[in-house]
Amino acid sequence: MAPVASIATVNGELPESVPQPLLAELIRHLPMAVAAFDRDMRYLAYSPSWLSAHGDSSGREIFGLSHYDVFPSIRGEWRAIHRRCLAGATERSELDYFEGTDGQREYLRWLVTPWRNEQGEVAGILIYLENISDQVLTRHRLSERESFIRDFFAESPLGLNLCRMDGLWLESNAAFLRIIGYSPEEADGGLTYWQLTPRKYDAAEAVQLDHLRTTGRYGPYEKEFIRKDGTLVPVRLNGFLIEREGETFIWSLIEDMTEQRALEQGLDEERLKAIQSSKLATLGEMAAGFAHEINNPLGVIDLYAHSLREAIDGADQAHIDEAIGGIRAAAARAAHIVRGLGRFSRQ
C-alpha cells in the first residue's frame, strides 16, 4: 500500500502557495521518500518514509521546521544544491551519501527540482530520494566476493580451467598455463582439450566423459598433456559441470604430477637398492654357510686321502677300501650341497 502523505497546515488550511492536489498526489504515490519545501527550506509536506530514508526512526514531527534544523549536519554541498534549485535548476544523483543520526553512512539516489506557483514563480523545491544503502552494501559484498574468487583463480597453485563441452578452453589460470607451456592468448579460445591429449587415452577419456554426463563430475583421473614443446607432462584431473546463461561448461582442477612422479621414481629406485642390498647380504650369509658345509666333506676327503696313501704303501686292502668309501661318501655329500645351492639360485 502506498503511504498516505502528511501535509503541513496553517490554521487548518494549506498555504495558498502550495498546489494541493498535485503535491498530495505526488507524495502519496511516489515509491520513494519525498518532501516539499518553501523558499526558506521549511517543511510543507513529507512522505512517511522521509525520516527513515535519512536513517532516522524517531517518527518525530517536523512540519514547518527548517530542513537545516532537522538535519544540522547536512553538508555544505547540499545547501549549494538547494540554492541552485531554488534558482530554477534541477539536479540529480544516482549515488550519494550522508551521515545518519546514528553515525552510520547512508547511501541514496536523489532528485531535487523546483515547484512553481500559479504565477510560474519558484515557490520552493521538491526532493525525491531513495535510500539504497542495502543495495550498495550488497553490491560491495558481491564485488568483494568476486575479487576474492578472481584472486583465488589467478593465484591458485593448482591449475584451473574453464572449457566448453566440446573441449574448447575459455579461461585458464597461470598455474595451468605453466603446465602446458602456452600463453593466455594461445590457449584461451584457441586450444582444445583434445589437441593436447595423446590418443592412447581415448578409451579412458570416454569413461570420464560418461561419468561427467551422468553425475556432473569426473576424476580423479591421471593422464598426460602434450606441452607446447612436445614433451608429455603427467597430470591429475578433477572436474565438474556448471551452467552459465543456459550453456553447460566444465571446470577442471589440474595438478602437475611431475615432481610426484620423480619422487615416486626415486623411492622405487631406493627400494630396489635396499632389496638388492638385502639380497647381497643374505647371499653373503648363505655363501658363508655353504662354504662351511662344503669344507666339512672336503676335510673328510683330505683325511681319507692321507689314509689311502698309507694303506697303499702297506698293501692294506681293508684300509684302502675304507678310505675310498669315505672319499666317495664325502664327495656325494659335497655334490648334494652344491645341487641345493643350484636349486636356490634358480628360485
Side-chain angles (χ1 to χ4, degrees):
M1 172 182 287
V4 177
S6 300
I7 308 297
T9 62
V10 177
N11 297 324
E13 306 234 342
L14 286 165
E16 292 182 0
S17 59
V18 178
Q20 300 179 31
L22 176 60
L23 182 59
E25 285 301 308
L26 284 173
I27 294 178
R28 183 178 296 113
H29 294 102
L30 283 174
M32 59 178 64
V34 183
F37 302 87
D38 63 14
R39 291 194 61 84
D40 295 321
M41 290 302 295
R42 292 192 302 266
Y43 281 93
L44 300 176
Y46 61 93
S47 64
S49 59
W50 176 261
L51 287 175
S52 61
H54 286 78
D56 185 345
S57 59
S58 66
R60 55 183 168 152
E61 180 67 66
I62 59 174
F63 293 126
L65 298 181
S66 167
H67 183 51
Y68 306 130
D69 291 336
V70 174
F71 299 110
S73 61
I74 191 169
R75 303 197 309 267
E77 60 192 89
W78 266 88
R79 297 171 185 260
I81 292 170
H82 299 157
R83 288 194 296 271
R84 291 196 295 270
C85 293
L86 285 169
T90 295
E91 299 194 18
R92 69 179 69 235
S93 173
E94 291 300 315
L95 179 62
D96 201 350
Y97 74 93
F98 65 89
E99 303 297 334
T101 55
D102 57 0
Q104 295 295 318
R105 179 169 289 190
E106 301 288 336
Y107 293 91
L108 50 86
R109 65 169 58 98
W110 52 261
L111 169 69
V112 182
T113 187
W115 65 272
R116 301 175 183 275
N117 58 23
E118 294 180 355
Q119 289 73 38
E121 301 167 337
V122 175
I125 60 173
L126 293 170
I127 300 179
Y128 308 84
L129 64 85
E130 180 182 2
N131 192 313
I132 57 172
S133 298
D134 288 343
Q135 296 95 310
V136 170
L137 180 59
T138 298
R139 287 198 299 269
H140 178 68
R141 288 173 176 169
L142 287 174
S143 177
E144 284 186 335
R145 184 175 303 174
E146 290 174 357
S147 177
F148 171 79
I149 293 173
R150 177 56 56 185
D151 290 344
F152 172 80
F153 179 81
E155 302 300 330
S156 172
L158 281 177
L160 299 172
N161 172 262
L162 179 70
C163 72
R164 294 191 323 209
M165 289 300 293
D166 62 5
L168 180 67
W169 283 331
L170 301 177
E171 192 168 1
S172 308
N173 74 342
F176 179 58
L177 293 171
R178 285 193 296 271
I179 291 174
I180 61 175
Y182 286 87
S183 69
E185 296 75 19
E186 293 171 323
D188 297 339
L191 289 176
T192 71
Y193 182 89
W194 308 111
Q195 284 176 268
L196 302 189
T197 299
R199 296 282 65 80
K200 64 182 179 180
Y201 293 102
D202 285 352
E205 293 288 352
V207 172
Q208 294 298 322
L209 276 175
D210 182 65
H211 191 66
L212 180 66
R213 293 189 181 100
T214 54
T215 68
R217 308 186 69 86
Y218 77 93
Y221 166 50
E222 295 188 8
K223 58 171 284 184
E224 293 170 312
F225 274 135
I226 306 170
R227 289 176 53 85
K228 183 180 180 180
D229 61 10
T231 60
L232 298 178
V233 55
V235 294
R236 178 184 292 132
L237 303 171
N238 285 275
F240 54 90
L241 295 177
I242 64 166
E243 298 288 334
R244 179 187 291 178
E245 297 179 357
E247 188 174 354
T248 303
F249 300 91
I250 307 172
W251 264 119
S252 293
L253 288 76
I254 306 99
E255 182 181 1
D256 187 344
M257 302 294 290
T258 302
E259 292 186 4
Q260 184 169 335
R261 290 289 180 268
L263 178 61
E264 291 172 353
Q265 183 177 354
L267 291 174
D268 287 341
E269 291 175 354
E270 291 299 322
R271 189 180 300 112
L272 290 174
K273 289 179 181 179
I275 292 173
Q276 187 66 18
S277 296
S278 177
K279 286 181 177 180
L280 290 174
T282 301
L283 184 60
E285 293 174 0
M286 293 182 65
F290 279 119
H292 175 74
E293 290 296 323
I294 290 176
N295 279 334
N296 287 333
L298 289 177
V300 172
I301 291 172
D302 183 62
L303 179 62
Y304 275 118
H306 285 88
S307 212
L308 179 60
R309 169 61 63 187
E310 293 176 357
I312 291 173
D313 290 342
D316 186 346
Q317 189 61 43
H319 284 101
I320 290 173
D321 292 339
E322 180 185 358
I324 290 173
I327 289 172
R328 293 184 67 183
R333 183 182 175 190
H336 177 74
I337 293 171
V338 171
R339 285 194 299 271
L341 179 58
R343 287 194 300 269
F344 176 80
S345 64
R346 285 193 296 274
Q347 291 175 0

